[in-house]
Amino acid sequence: MAAPAQQPAQPGGGKRKGKAQYVLAKRARRCDAGGPHQLEPGLQGILITCNMNERKCVEEAYSLLNEYGDDMYGPEKLTDKDQQPSGSEGEDDDVEAALKKEVGDIKASTEMRLRRFQSVESGANNVVFIRTLGIEPEKLVHHILQDMYKTKKKKTRVILRMLPISGTCKAFLEDMKKYAETFLEPWFKAPNKGTFQIVYKSRNNSHMNREEVIRELAGIVGTLNSENKVNLTNPQYTVVVEIIKAVCCLSVVKDYMLFRKYNLQEVVKSPKDPSQLISKQGNGTETKLESADKSDQNNIAEGKNNQQVPQNTDELGQTKPTSNPQVVNEGGGKPELASQATEGSKSNENDLS
């Protein structure tokens, strides 16, 4: 009886690698450019949402960001990956000094390999985070959307929304309040002022309360300058709050409504009816109105009541006055006519008699 054929031995005498080892090796190569490999506090970048195809989304993001990044900041200067800074030629007998020199060389080589745009793990499905270096994310994304809005030229197929992230912190209320006090100063601290709204989104996080976060952030904006007012239809600034797991991403953007909430698929479309666009924006901000009502108790925005009351009165004016008069006329008009008819018939009968 023939012996069963044996599998050829792997070079080096080891066993065949498992799938997990290949995944780890892939991640190591992916993060070989240096820097963090996942979303964490202290980063700047661009948060991108897609539809079921993250790999294609990353490719489109690199292409789009490099195109406009080279236009704004010039071509990226790359260095050879294998090139590393050389240390001093002389030998040092001091072990401590030698270790310090080696650590310095490693840090320097890592800084040389950092790229302008680098994809990192976001921690959520259909969400890609591109870490940026040496650029201002809000200006770059605004430039991209402004160009697409003017030309109406579609440049992506998978990317949905592209939100700049100017800073990240831990997703706990006290950490967010402490970080926001200094983060929001360039836009809202006196003498700077403007109208604003707060947009909140949470993914893979269950310990944060949406209304509480919006109320606290609105209170901070009000304390920075009492002239800052809430405007939910056409604000000058939109404070974007994106929470993924235990990381909070913050940014302040302009033209949020004009650029269709920074949606690359919608910004290239021409609005068919401006009134429909306004109505859609109004319906989308109903939840924001509820959260903004609570911040009125802290007297942080005096102009909010003037904006919300007309909307409520208009809605009431469109529904209640049109329905109630019909009920009153239908219920009250018919008995009066019937009584008049009976009285008239009785009087005629008396006259005839």
Side-chain angles (χ1 to χ4, degrees), residues 184-223:
L184 297 174
E185 287 182 355
W187 296 276
F188 300 108
K189 186 176 181 180
N192 299 325
K193 62 179 180 179
T195 57
F196 72 97
Q197 69 172 349
I198 299 175
V199 179
Y200 177 92
K201 176 68 176 180
S202 177
R203 298 178 176 89
N204 298 337
N205 183 291
S206 59
H207 67 272
M208 297 301 299
N209 188 338
R210 176 184 181 275
E211 296 180 355
E212 187 177 6
V213 171
I214 293 178
R215 182 174 63 250
E216 294 294 340
L217 292 180
I220 292 174
V221 175
T223 56

Side-chain angles (χ1 to χ4, degrees), residues 34-36 38-40 42-48 61-62 64-66 69 73 76 114-120 128-141 144 162-168 250:
Q38 63 182 1
L39 183 60
E40 61 184 23
L43 294 182
Q44 285 188 343
I46 300 171
L47 189 70
I48 302 173
Y62 280 153
L64 190 66
L65 294 175
N66 285 322
Y73 301 97
E76 183 179 7
L114 288 176
R115 300 294 300 271
R116 179 182 289 175
F117 305 107
Q118 181 64 45
S119 174
V120 299
V128 174
F129 188 86
I130 304 295
R131 190 260 306 151
T132 60
L133 181 66
I135 67 171
E136 298 181 18
E138 63 276 2
K139 291 185 178 181
L140 177 61
V141 176
I144 294 173
M162 181 176 285
L163 297 172
I165 302 300
S166 302
T168 57
L250 290 174

